[in-house]
Amino acid sequence: GLIIAGRPDVVKKSKVVPNVVYTLRALLHRLLVISNNDGAVEGTRRKSLQKRELSVAGQNEGDGDGGGVTTWSILYHSLLLTEKLFTHLPQDIDGAILAHSAEEDLPLFMDTVQESMLYPHSWVRSVSCRILALYVSRRNPVNLDVSLQKDQSEILVQHNQLYNFSRRLCVTLNQPVLTSNLLDSLSTCLVFVVRALFYSNIKTAVNNADEKADNSDSEDEDEGGSAPAAKGGVAGANWVIQRLRGIGADSRGYRRFNVIKVFAALVTAEENEEMLSSHLEQLIEGCIRSRISRAVNEDTEMTSAAIQNQKDTKEAAGELLEAIEQRVGSSSFIGIYGEVQRRIESSKADK
């Protein structure tokens, strides 16, 4: 890692990056098999993403024990090496990753990194998300396969992969507390996925039975929407927005604040008015609900942290509403805002 950071030119000339990438690919996959399955036979159905026990997501890297030679520590430092390659030799590692095809017992490199986002240790999740943010930043969501050459394997254009990616991102986001760096990386990736789904015709079919089973014990899925149909475009992007809306409906921790931040990043990044217009009601509804929300239990005295959380969320929602109004114009904004507000008030009255 030090050599890559200090003398990337030497590493580039030595042409060892492809071999390093292949070794990392195999190592990361094996470490995840050991950790996730506890030695169980490969090929069995993986545990539900929602049921995986994630450690405290708000823990900063460097806090606590470094891990020594434990599995998570080896996995973490292997991912750090991958991050350094993406930072200092992005073209070399990108080319090496695209040159590899999936094997029967060895998934694509970035599929393994995506799985690392769901690892129980927060340091592993943080570095995995940073790698994925670096990876998607080198791609154009409007036309994912425009620069692909023959025999290159881009995971994001393969059947169902954008959906799998978005689902993993949502699970990682769905935590009470996230560090600011982790939230930034997640926002970058989620905005990319929403835009890529909107502009693509990549299929996003899922096994509805598996989806139902995965969501059966989730406390936050009620408003998340069902899985997308077997098509891309607006339907695929809409599923991700609906899932984010469902996460933001949970008032525990900083979930609402984090979702508002993701929505704000989408409004900032997207220049296509048609794309924004297709999701305006959902974005505005999230803001309105955040601004009128109260404590989960009004009989319980709120802590200073909870009060600050509520204040931060309402401020972020107000800023997002202002940004939306500037993008779509006051006339359109007022009309949609009024309609959404009436719908919210009607739903409250029915209860």
Side-chain angles (χ1 to χ4, degrees):
L2 291 174
I3 296 174
I4 293 171
R7 292 298 304 274
D9 56 319
V10 174
V11 177
K12 187 178 182 70
K13 289 179 181 178
S14 66
K15 299 182 180 181
V16 299
V17 173
N19 292 333
V20 171
V21 169
Y22 189 85
T23 302
L24 284 171
R25 176 189 176 192
L27 176 62
L28 292 173
H29 174 63
R30 187 58 190 163
L31 289 170
L32 286 177
V33 168
I34 293 171
S35 301
N36 293 341
N37 300 323
D38 294 324
V41 177
E42 288 188 64
T44 58
R45 186 178 184 278
R46 295 191 178 188
K47 298 177 182 178
S48 162
L49 299 183
Q50 281 295 119
K51 294 177 182 176
R52 297 192 186 195
E53 183 180 356
L54 302 183
S55 61
V56 179
Q59 184 184 42
N60 287 299
E61 289 180 59
D63 294 346
D65 186 6
V69 292
T70 56
T71 301
W72 77 260
S73 179
I74 299 171
L75 178 60
Y76 171 68
H77 288 286
S78 298
L79 288 165
L80 277 182
L81 177 59
T82 304
E83 182 186 23
K84 288 187 182 296
L85 285 168
F86 262 112
T87 302
H88 300 284
L89 295 166
Q91 187 172 350
D92 297 80
I93 187 173
D94 216 18
I97 288 173
L98 292 175
H100 292 162
S101 58
E103 302 173 19
E104 183 176 350
D105 59 346
L106 189 60
L108 290 173
F109 189 95
M110 297 312 296
D111 191 28
T112 303
V113 176
Q114 288 181 32
E115 271 291 294
S116 300
M117 283 196 299
L118 307 170
Y119 194 81
H121 202 287
S122 61
W123 296 10
V124 174
R125 295 201 300 280
S126 293
V127 68
S128 299
C129 287
R130 291 201 303 272
I131 292 169
L132 290 163
L134 289 169
Y135 184 78
V136 300
S137 67
R138 292 180 52 80
R139 280 147 180 79
N140 180 6
V142 177
N143 197 344
L144 270 176
D145 58 358
V146 66
S147 60
L148 281 180
Q149 299 175 9
K150 186 178 180 181
D151 298 328
Q152 287 189 327
S153 298
E154 171 57 77
I155 185 173
L156 297 177
V157 302
Q158 296 180 13
H159 177 76
N160 220 26
Q161 288 302 325
L162 279 174
Y163 166 74
N164 289 335
F165 188 20
S166 64
R167 187 171 179 231
R168 288 161 171 162
L169 289 167
C170 287
V171 172
T172 308
L173 180 72
N174 190 13
Q175 303 302 313
V177 182
L178 298 173
T179 63
S180 58
N181 289 335
L182 179 54
L183 178 58
D184 288 345
S185 298
L186 285 170
S187 295
T188 298
C189 293
L190 281 163
V191 168
F192 175 89
V193 167
V194 171
R195 298 180 69 205
L197 282 168
F198 180 86
Y199 289 111
S200 75
N201 291 316
I202 299 170
K203 301 301 182 183
T204 56
V206 296
N207 185 319
N208 290 326
D210 286 348
E211 181 71 12
K212 183 177 180 180
D214 285 346
N215 293 338
S216 59
D217 292 337
S218 173
E219 297 178 12
D220 310 315
E221 294 284 347
D222 294 342
E223 299 186 52
S226 58
K231 56 184 177 181
V234 176
N238 186 64
W239 182 87
V240 183
I241 296 293
Q242 282 290 88
R243 183 66 189 94
L244 291 172
R245 174 177 168 268
I247 295 171
D250 190 340
S251 61
R252 295 172 299 173
Y254 269 79
R255 286 181 173 90
R256 283 179 173 167
F257 175 83
N258 294 337
V259 170
I260 292 297
K261 285 296 187 181
V262 174
F263 285 165
L266 176 61
V267 172
T268 300
E270 183 53 53
E271 298 179 354
N272 186 339
E273 301 300 331
E274 179 186 355
M275 192 276 192
L276 283 180
S277 297
S278 64
H279 302 299
L280 275 184
E281 289 192 9
Q282 295 157 308
L283 270 59
I284 291 175
E285 180 182 351
C287 292
I288 294 176
R289 290 188 182 278
S290 296
R291 297 183 78 181
I292 65 176
S293 64
R294 298 180 180 179
V296 176
N297 186 346
E298 294 182 354
D299 297 328
T300 303
E301 184 177 352
M302 294 180 68
T303 64
S304 58
I307 293 173
Q308 186 62 47
N309 175 8
Q310 199 170 73
K311 180 181 177 182
D312 292 343
T313 302
K314 290 182 178 181
E315 287 181 356
E319 292 172 358
L320 177 53
L321 287 172
E322 290 179 4
I324 293 173
E325 183 176 7
Q326 290 178 359
R327 288 295 304 276
V328 303
S330 296
S331 179
S332 298
F333 173 80
I334 292 172
I336 297 173
Y337 185 97
E339 176 62 28
V340 172
Q341 189 172 43
R342 284 191 294 272
R343 188 166 64 237
I344 292 174
E345 291 173 352
S346 176
S347 67
K348 288 181 175 293
D350 292 339
K351 293 179 182 179

